[in-house]
Amino acid sequence: MKKELRNIVILTGAGISAESGLKTFRASDGLWEGHRIEDVATPEAYERNPDLVNEFYNARRAQLKEVEPNAAHFALAKLEENWPFDVLIVTQNVDDLHERAGSKNLIHMHGELLKSRCTETQLVTDWHQDILPDTISPYSKEGTLRPHIVWFGEMPLEMGRIYDALRKCDLFISIGTSGNVYPAAGFAQEARRKGAHCVELNLEPSLNAHDFHESVNGLAGEIVPKFVEGLLAS
Ligand code: BJW
């Protein structure tokens, strides 16, 4: 790394939460086991069978109470606290482990398990219990509540702010994501085009590993704290 590093953008995916006990999506024992992805992660599937989709997210919401952030989440919070310039975490994860570890500057681009959205007004509210067939929206007479989750074919959240940060960052780090899902899988290319140094920290090379200047393969709980220590010492 030659140029001076100031602003950092970090993309995280399911792999960062794996050592906390949350399943990833595309491992052989992944989250979609028992559910075809198109049965649970599209707006059409939700219209067809809201109960199935709600059950899937109710179970994952309940599981959040049983897991804790791991060393990788804590290392990123430490980086944000001690780095003299901007650190933005853009997570594809819908869990709340980054915030529980202490990260503050955080975008959940695929939504949050602990929020629900009114189907009429699109208003978002904190939601910690199950969403049931008769759960009515507090915001409208007609509306129901749906999980505040970005499904395939829907626009990820806060894209303007994310691309702005990607264009201004000097270092882009991708952690625990397979590079299967866009637009997140295109972030490294965008940051690199604007001159950022790009690093991948993942168990195995992702589909877009060629977009990175540097790759470290291993468990996030081990390689992320080590990488952060190196940055803070630089
Ligand atoms: C470890 C580890 C350890 C394990 N330590 N590492 C054709 C071409 C290009 C794009 C498209 C296309 N057709 C359609 C599209 C767009 C589509 C898309 O990308 N489809 C692909 C399947 C091709 N994308 C969209 O639709 C997105 N919206 C969009 O593009 O909007 C634009 C637009 C919209 C409308 C009109 C016009 C334009 C929306 C995407 C929404 C994704 N939603 C999901 C589910 C919801 C959240 C939830 O239920 O939790 O988000 S899908 C799922 O995949 C989830 C994840 O956030 C996302 C990414 O997965 P992730 O995190 O990478 O997990 P894995 O399992 O894949 O990988 C884990 C990695 O960790 C692995 O590499 C392991 O090795 C590693 N690992 N243990 C370190 N301990």
Side-chain angles (χ1 to χ4, degrees), residues 14 19 25-26 57 60 92 110 150 153-154 177-178 182 202 220:
E19 288 152 77
F25 291 90
R26 291 168 185 87
Y57 286 102
R60 287 174 58 197
Q92 298 169 87
H110 290 165
V150 177
E154 296 185 318
T177 176
S178 63
Y182 285 83
N202 205 35

Side-chain angles (χ1 to χ4, degrees), residues 37 94 125 152:
I37 189 165
V94 297
T125 189
F152 285 112

